[in-house]
Amino acid sequence: MKATSPLLKRITRHALSTKQTNKGYYKGTGTGSTGRHTQHGGYIIEWEKVRTYVVPKDLKDFKLTPFVTRKMKPIKGRFEGDPKGAFSGEAYLARWKAENGND
């Protein structure tokens, strides 16, 4: 049985995947290499290939915002008065209700 021409046109519009080809096809992620492999099984990082991101000097007037709010205070790792410490489910639920209300 042969596929009709409209069906073939619809198939060719999509990106090629590994399910549509024979073995040996590797699509990859498009990230590129950051170095090279040695003949002894090691890997040498070539620093001119590594991506670096430059942060603007003055972020107060910067228009883009981070994913995390700047108003967030650092969380302390102490659970004073609770014998179970950080593993206490009751302390977690009490703090969640205090911060988020009764949802």
Side-chain angles (χ1 to χ4, degrees), residues 24-36:
Y25 175 73
Y26 178 71
K27 187 171 184 177
T29 58
T31 58
S33 67
T34 57
R36 59 186 168 87

Side-chain angles (χ1 to χ4, degrees), residues 51-64:
R51 290 168 195 84
T52 55
Y53 301 100
V54 178
V55 179
K57 291 181 181 177
D58 187 17
L59 292 177
K60 290 180 182 175
D61 297 329
F62 196 65
K63 297 192 184 214
L64 296 176

Side-chain angles (χ1 to χ4, degrees), residues 65-80:
T65 58
F67 291 118
V68 179
T69 179
R70 293 181 183 164
K71 298 177 184 176
M72 188 170 178
K73 297 176 184 174
I75 299 173
K76 305 283 184 191
R78 296 185 187 147
F79 293 88
E80 296 173 0

